[in-house]
Amino acid sequence: LVAAVCCHAGVNIAYGTAEDFPVGYGGSTSVLTIHGDADDVVLYNGTDNNGLIFPGAEENAALWAKVNNCTDGPIVTEDVGGKFATHTYSGCGTDKTAEVKLIQMYGVGHSPYKAVDGSFALPSNFQTDVDTTKLAQDFCFQHLLSPSASYTTQTPTDTPTQTPTDT
């Protein structure tokens, strides 16, 4: 029941492969990740941190594309200012309208956010002058749930639907 998810400087570490996703996941959620390629916390190319494996940003996007059954991509385009590249998978989900995107921020570290007042509180390689929050907002607003879709919902009640069992 989630139309789109946006994440800054993060990757999926809960599921290692598409086969690890919960059975029954329909794969119709659009996903956007924004990741600096100079990130030294969650490395753009991935890392094994004492047994905790962080996939790379491109590997993470490819995983979401596979889970969402995307038919096209990745197609990589660069913005006109040369500050980032967008890796796009399309034709995703049951209705083929979902998409998976990775925005690769050139030379940006672990906080790929625009400075609020125009000044940079963190080292310059951490932040950017690109409004990545607006990019994420625009992406999520482009991917709304269809009002004609039928969803099963439950009205909350005061009584439990299952009886607890002793174990």
Side-chain angles (χ1 to χ4, degrees), residues 66-134:
K66 183 174 181 181
V67 168
N68 278 301
N69 299 308
C70 299
T71 56
D72 301 310
I75 296 172
V76 181
T77 56
E78 189 170 285
D79 82 300
V80 294
K83 296 183 179 190
F84 62 89
T86 303
H87 306 242
T88 303
Y89 295 86
S90 58
C92 310
T94 54
D95 61 1
K96 300 301 179 194
T97 61
E99 63 183 345
V100 173
K101 288 187 176 186
L102 162 66
I103 297 179
Q104 174 187 1
M105 302 297 301
Y106 298 142
V108 175
H110 188 63
S111 297
Y113 301 99
K114 182 178 182 179
V116 175
D117 61 1
S119 65
F120 290 95
L122 296 171
S124 61
N125 72 322
F126 269 57
Q127 295 179 322
T128 178
D129 60 354
V130 175
D131 190 348
T132 57
T133 301
K134 177 76 168 119

